Amino acid sequence: MTANPPFDLDTVDRLLTTTKAVRRRLDLTRPVDRETVVECIRLASYSPNASNAQEWHWVVVDDPELRALVGEQYRSCTVPVVTKMLATKEEAGDEAGARISRSIIYLAERMAEVPVLVIPCYDVAAASARYGNLIGPERATAEMEPGMFASIYPAVWSFLLALRSRGLGSTLTTAHQSDQPAMAEILGIPSTWFQTALIPVAHTTGGDFKPSPRAPVEDTIVWNTHS
Ligand SMILES: Cc1cc2nc3c(=O)[nH]c(=O)nc-3n(C[C@H](O)[C@H](O)[C@H](O)COP(=O)(O)O)c2cc1C
């Protein structure tokens, strides 16, 4: 442990361990102001990204009619699939897994009511033009390379941390990706932008959050070589 850490570690550790998937405790009645969303995106923009090219676009939806369409797209991609997963988990007696599936369905059925919906997009066309022939021909579709994913998900996570630090809650969701063209059509998103997530943003209800269960980290570490 550093003798004089440059941060208040209790606060930092609490932020890192309690920024979690919030679904049932999103306040669907309280508006979220645009300035706070912009501030959180600004904080997220300090994330590592290849060559500091910042090939991201943050599509922020707060218009109620568009939210209804976006929410329905998410619901229709999510509920049928997760309902099947729930049945499988219930049959297997996996109560922890079933609880997550029920929570996912709960949010999916209310996604349209969440005050702000954010879709961070990665500009694959811009990245492939920049990489040139390192990754093959320039792309007319949003076909992602590992380095592209790695250049935006740190920013997505920083965005979630920044939201949490300001009393807002969220969940990283990706279920809508099974039909990205439908979302692109609703919001005019270019086909060369990969929609990395759909992030609901709302104030939270109730008290503070506890860390989610995690496996002992010692079980996940390989020191030097795997035997
Ligand atoms: C790549 C990825 C995709 C996810 N997709 C969804 C999703 O589509 N819908 C949802 O409600 N949660 C989604 N989640 C949230 C996970 O269910 C959640 O992070 C996990 O259950 C652990 O819970 P915790 O973050 O509260 O600790 C996703 C998380 C990740 C990292």
Side-chain angles (χ1 to χ4, degrees):
M1 168 77 81
T2 314
N4 294 306
F7 297 102
D8 169 2
L9 293 189
D10 284 345
T11 304
V12 173
D13 293 1
R14 195 159 65 86
L15 178 67
L16 290 171
T17 55
T18 64
T19 301
K20 56 196 285 188
V22 183
R23 304 188 187 91
R24 295 182 188 274
R25 289 180 50 190
L26 297 174
D27 189 340
L28 305 178
T29 61
R30 185 171 163 196
V32 171
D33 64 68
R34 283 187 168 191
E35 295 72 41
T36 307
V37 176
V38 172
E39 190 176 37
C40 292
I41 293 172
R42 184 173 300 115
L43 290 165
S45 77
Y46 289 89
S47 305
N49 65 97
S51 300
N52 200 22
Q54 301 161 64
E55 281 145 347
W56 46 51
H57 304 273
W58 300 78
V59 179
V60 183
V61 184
D62 62 0
D63 175 89
E65 286 176 21
L66 286 174
R67 282 191 290 129
L69 296 172
V70 169
E72 174 51 24
Q73 191 278 2
Y74 179 80
R75 193 202 62 74
S76 66
C77 287
T78 308
V79 172
V81 176
V82 181
T83 301
K84 280 191 198 140
M85 286 168 61
L86 172 60
T88 308
K89 287 172 179 172
E90 282 175 338
E91 262 174 48
D94 173 9
E95 185 43 38
R99 206 173 316 117
I100 293 173
S101 295
R102 285 187 212 107
S103 171
I104 290 172
I105 292 168
Y106 176 94
L107 172 61
E109 286 172 342
R110 290 159 184 80
M111 191 62 100
E113 298 169 53
V114 178
V116 176
L117 303 172
V118 178
I119 301 179
C121 296
Y122 191 77
D123 190 336
V124 174
S128 68
R130 182 171 55 79
Y131 281 121
N133 58 16
L134 280 178
I135 59 163
E138 288 185 24
R139 287 150 198 232
T141 61
E143 192 192 327
M144 294 280 275
E145 293 287 325
M148 297 178 185
F149 285 109
S151 286
I152 189 161
Y153 280 112
V156 170
W157 177 233
S158 284
F159 179 61
L160 300 178
L161 292 168
L163 291 173
R164 165 90 176 113
S165 73
R166 279 142 179 82
L168 295 159
S170 189
T171 297
L172 197 170
T173 83
T174 55
H176 89 279
Q177 289 171 339
S178 58
D179 193 358
Q180 289 195 50
M183 193 65 88
E185 174 83 24
I186 295 166
L187 299 172
I189 296 172
S191 60
T192 50
W193 293 8
F194 187 88
Q195 301 163 29
T196 61
L198 168 58
I199 303 176
V201 177
H203 291 275
T204 55
T205 60
D208 209 354
F209 292 91
K210 293 197 189 81
S212 298
R214 290 292 191 263
V217 71
E218 291 75 12
D219 295 355
T220 68
I221 298 173
V222 177
W223 289 106
N224 299 315
T225 56
H226 186 262
S227 51

